[in-house]
């Protein structure tokens, strides 16, 4: 759903008059340019915001703030969680499959060892990035940069938003033994960040499963998603492993595509997702279905179990897929990992022709499944079996039993049941402490309304 509003707030005559006389010049245009976007945003929220009753009164609001700052000052506590605000401002024509700023193309967690030293454990490296060009990979450890010790202050400038080339000192494992070397990082640059990070066919006992690590619901990557599942269909897997551990969300329309690929044939045409709007909206609900027409160029799959890997970073559109498939798959859907983030709302796009560079994504609805369930803001979606990725220990290759969060999935594939106890208690055994995990802390991309 895409809503476009073309309405400019009428400014009070007194305020306008104050800007009409300044050295004989009419400066009212400057006033309109400064506060116009915010007054339009505020009026839009009064009508369409899911939590409009929580809006503060106009008195005391600073309409001269930047749009992003103004939005932060008025959003409801129900429209944010763990430092992430769901309603947001975007610039137009933002590519969501490219990095927003120059980067080395790696994601890593800042770890404090038992001796007090800080290190960065690399979780994954994007292909065709500066980090991949110098051979960095998952499970490498960066122990210093430019021969400087790492800490919470320089982590951003050396890893999250680097501005120049630098030298990493990297510890890795070679034939079971630690090895340390220097790596000269090229200059950071804008890179492609594919949503389909990796996929493969794996075996466990007599079972053959299709594994896919999917990191974002982006419309620009839908053809890659279809291609991956077409390759899966050609292998006739008995089971599917959908790894959403690092997936913070994206477009609802892409979530509808993935859900339809994974839904049983009998669900076609049945309710998939219901958006529940505020009581000013008529109608107050809008329902979408599992749409077989979305399957052009891709095959709907049959399988015994769908294993969905989740963490606290599994959010938004990722949660929609799990929540909407659950009523149709029942026990065939097995969520493994930890509880999801708990983002149960969707944003709609509002634009104004007077402010062509402004995209206002406003929280307008809850996202309910066919059983009208959407109450997972507080606790997230709970796993059927608890398992954790131990970021302080050897990570293991994606899609293998050595990957600690996936180990119980391999056990279930082979034995038909999960191990008798979860793996969460066995993690963090090194005594090291996770100080900062950029996967968990970066702002969650909001799921977008269906267009």
């Amino acid at each position: 759903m895409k809503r476009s509003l073309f309405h400019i707030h009428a400014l009070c005559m007194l305020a306008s008059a104050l800007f009409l006389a300044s050295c004989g010049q009419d400066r009212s245009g400057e006033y309109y340019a400064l506060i116009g976007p915010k007054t339009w945003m505020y009026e839009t929220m009064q009508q369409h915001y899911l939590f409009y009753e929580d809006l503060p009164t106009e008195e005391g609001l600073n309409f001269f703030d930047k749009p992003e700052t103004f939005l932060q000052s008025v959003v409801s506590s129900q429209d944010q969680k763990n430092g992430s605000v769901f309603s947001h401002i975007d610039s137009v024509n933002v590519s969501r499959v490219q990095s927003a700023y120059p980067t080395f193309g790696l994601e890593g967690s800042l770890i404090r060892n038992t001796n007090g030293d800080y290190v960065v454990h690399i979780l994954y490296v994007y292909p065709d990035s500066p980090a991949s060009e110098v051979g960095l990979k998952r499970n490498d450890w960066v122990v210093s940069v430019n021969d400087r010790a790492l800490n919470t202050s320089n982590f951003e400038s050396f890893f999250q938003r680097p501005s120049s080339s630098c030298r990493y000192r990297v510890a890795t494992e070679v034939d079971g033994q630690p090895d340390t070397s220097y790596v000269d990082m090229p200059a950071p640059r804008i890179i492609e960040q594919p949503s389909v990070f990796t996929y493969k066919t794996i075996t466990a006992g007599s079972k053959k499963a299709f594994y896919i690590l999917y990191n974002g619901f982006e419309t620009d990557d839908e053809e890659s998603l279809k291609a991956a599942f077409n390759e899966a269909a050609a292998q006739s897997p008995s089971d599917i492993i959908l790894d959403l551990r690092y997936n913070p969300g994206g477009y609802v329309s892409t979530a509808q595509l993935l859900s339809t690929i994974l839904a049983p044939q009998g669900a076609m045409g049945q309710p998939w997702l219901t958006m529940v709007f505020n009581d000013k909206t008529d109608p107050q609900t809008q329902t979408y279905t599992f749409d077989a027409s979305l399957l052009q160029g891709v095959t709907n799959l049959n399988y015994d179990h769908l294993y969905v890997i989740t963490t606290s970073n599994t959010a938004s559109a990722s949660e929609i897929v799990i929540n909407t498939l659950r009523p149709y798959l029942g026990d065939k859907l097995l969520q493994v990992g930890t509880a999801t983030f708990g983002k149960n709302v969707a944003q709609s796009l509002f634009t104004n022709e007077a402010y062509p560079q402004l995209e206002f994504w406003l929280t307008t609805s809850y996202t309910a499944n066919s059983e009208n369930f959407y109450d997972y803001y507080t606790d997230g979606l709970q796993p059927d079996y608890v398992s954790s990725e131990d970021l302080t220990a050897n990570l293991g290759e994606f899609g293998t039993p050595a990957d600690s969060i996936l180990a119980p999935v391999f056990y279930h594939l082979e034995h038909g049941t999960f191990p008798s106890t979860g793996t969460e208690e066995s993690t963090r055994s090194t005594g090291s402490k996770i100080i900062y995990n950029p996967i968990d802390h970066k702002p969650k991309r909001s799921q977008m309304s269906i267009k």
Side-chain angles (χ1 to χ4, degrees):
M1 180 196 322
K2 183 175 181 179
R3 303 178 179 207
S4 297
L5 301 184
F6 303 101
H7 178 74
I8 303 176
H9 185 68
L11 304 176
C12 67
M13 295 300 295
L14 176 61
S16 297
L18 293 176
F19 279 79
L20 288 176
S22 176
C23 300
Q25 295 180 341
D26 182 354
R27 301 183 62 188
S28 60
E30 298 176 22
Y31 182 82
Y32 280 89
L34 287 171
I35 78 165
K38 280 77 75 177
T39 54
W40 163 70
M41 288 167 58
Y42 186 76
E43 282 196 340
T44 301
M45 295 180 79
Q46 287 179 313
Q47 183 63 35
H48 299 285
Y49 193 32
L50 182 60
F51 310 113
Y52 72 89
E53 293 176 333
D54 294 345
L55 287 173
T57 59
E58 293 187 49
E59 294 81 7
L61 293 179
N62 186 355
F63 286 88
F64 289 93
D65 276 336
K66 294 180 180 179
E68 297 86 348
T69 305
F70 176 79
L71 181 61
Q72 295 275 339
S73 71
V74 299
V75 292
S76 168
S77 60
Q78 301 178 78
D79 195 22
Q80 52 190 303
K81 188 175 184 181
N82 297 355
S84 294
V85 177
F86 304 147
S87 294
H88 60 282
I89 303 293
D90 273 351
S91 298
V92 297
N93 299 323
V94 174
S95 171
R96 303 182 197 281
V97 296
Q98 287 187 324
S99 57
Y101 41 80
T103 177
F104 290 141
L106 62 85
E107 292 286 5
S109 290
L110 182 64
I111 309 291
R112 188 174 187 178
N113 287 331
T114 53
N115 62 4
D117 291 340
Y118 291 87
V119 294
V120 170
H121 203 182
I122 297 179
L123 304 180
Y124 62 86
V125 173
Y126 282 107
D128 301 320
S129 66
S132 69
E133 289 171 3
V134 296
L136 292 181
K137 60 187 182 303
R138 175 174 169 84
N139 208 46
D140 285 343
W141 299 81
V142 181
V143 298
S144 67
V145 179
N146 295 335
D147 289 325
R148 293 173 55 187
L150 300 175
N151 53 52
T152 56
S153 299
N154 60 28
F155 177 66
E156 179 175 2
S157 61
F158 286 151
F159 293 92
Q160 293 180 301
R161 296 202 178 190
S163 58
S164 62
S165 57
C166 60
R167 169 172 274 199
Y168 282 176
R169 187 176 177 217
V170 179
T172 188
E173 188 175 296
V174 178
D175 296 328
Q177 299 297 319
D179 181 67
T180 302
S181 60
Y182 284 98
V183 173
D184 291 318
M185 300 298 295
R189 63 175 184 266
I190 300 296
I191 65 166
E192 296 293 318
Q193 297 178 324
S195 299
V196 179
F197 188 83
T198 188
Y199 58 90
K200 65 179 78 172
T201 300
I202 60 178
T203 58
S206 61
K207 292 280 192 172
K208 181 168 64 174
F210 174 69
Y211 170 84
I212 178 170
L213 177 61
Y214 188 54
N215 286 351
F217 290 80
E218 307 298 348
T219 55
D220 290 346
D221 268 355
E222 286 184 358
E223 292 305 312
S224 296
L225 182 64
K226 289 181 178 180
F229 276 99
N230 275 336
E231 288 194 34
Q235 299 296 318
S236 300
S238 59
D239 301 86
I240 306 295
I241 305 172
L242 176 62
D243 194 339
L244 301 177
R245 77 180 81 176
Y246 304 140
N247 194 319
Y251 284 92
V252 173
S253 56
T254 307
Q256 185 184 25
L257 168 63
L258 179 57
S259 300
T260 304
I261 293 172
L262 295 171
Q265 187 61 41
M268 296 302 111
Q270 298 300 308
W272 168 64
L273 176 75
T274 296
M275 292 185 170
V276 183
F277 301 100
N278 68 28
D279 56 12
K280 293 184 179 183
T281 305
D282 185 23
Q284 195 173 350
T285 62
Q286 188 165 2
T287 298
Y288 300 88
T289 64
F290 291 97
D291 187 355
S293 68
L294 299 176
L295 298 175
Q296 295 181 8
V298 66
T299 302
N300 177 252
L301 297 178
N302 293 313
Y303 48 83
D304 294 334
H305 288 100
L306 171 64
Y307 302 92
V308 185
I309 310 304
T310 64
T311 65
S312 60
N313 190 67
T314 305
S316 192
S318 292
E319 293 171 295
I320 286 178
V321 169
I322 300 167
N323 192 40
T324 56
L325 284 174
R326 180 74 75 179
Y328 295 93
L329 292 179
D331 292 340
K332 289 181 65 173
L333 194 161
L334 296 172
Q335 182 183 337
V336 177
T338 56
T340 63
F341 181 81
K343 181 176 182 291
N344 63 340
V345 292
Q347 287 68 55
S348 297
L349 172 61
F350 293 84
T351 59
N352 189 314
E353 58 187 358
Y355 317 111
Q357 295 303 309
L358 194 68
E359 285 191 347
F360 183 23
W361 290 97
L362 178 66
T363 296
T364 56
S365 68
Y366 290 111
T367 52
N369 66 14
S370 61
E371 297 175 345
N372 202 36
F373 175 73
Y374 58 83
D375 187 18
Y376 53 88
Y377 172 84
T378 301
D379 298 323
L381 297 173
Q382 296 294 314
D384 298 292
Y385 186 85
V386 175
S387 181
S388 298
E389 181 175 41
D390 188 355
L391 304 181
T392 69
N394 191 301
L395 295 173
E397 183 185 347
F398 290 125
T400 69
D403 184 350
S404 58
I405 199 171
L406 281 181
V409 173
F410 278 83
Y411 188 95
H412 193 278
L413 285 169
E414 188 169 356
H415 301 283
T417 61
F418 286 115
S420 58
T421 59
T423 61
E424 188 173 36
E425 293 181 358
S426 66
T427 62
R428 313 290 181 257
S429 58
T430 63
S432 300
K433 183 179 179 182
I434 300 172
I435 301 298
Y436 193 89
N437 180 6
I439 301 295
D440 287 335
H441 287 77
K442 68 181 181 181
K444 309 298 184 293
R445 289 177 286 177
S446 298
Q447 71 259 11
M448 312 307 183
S449 297
I450 297 175
K451 298 183 178 180

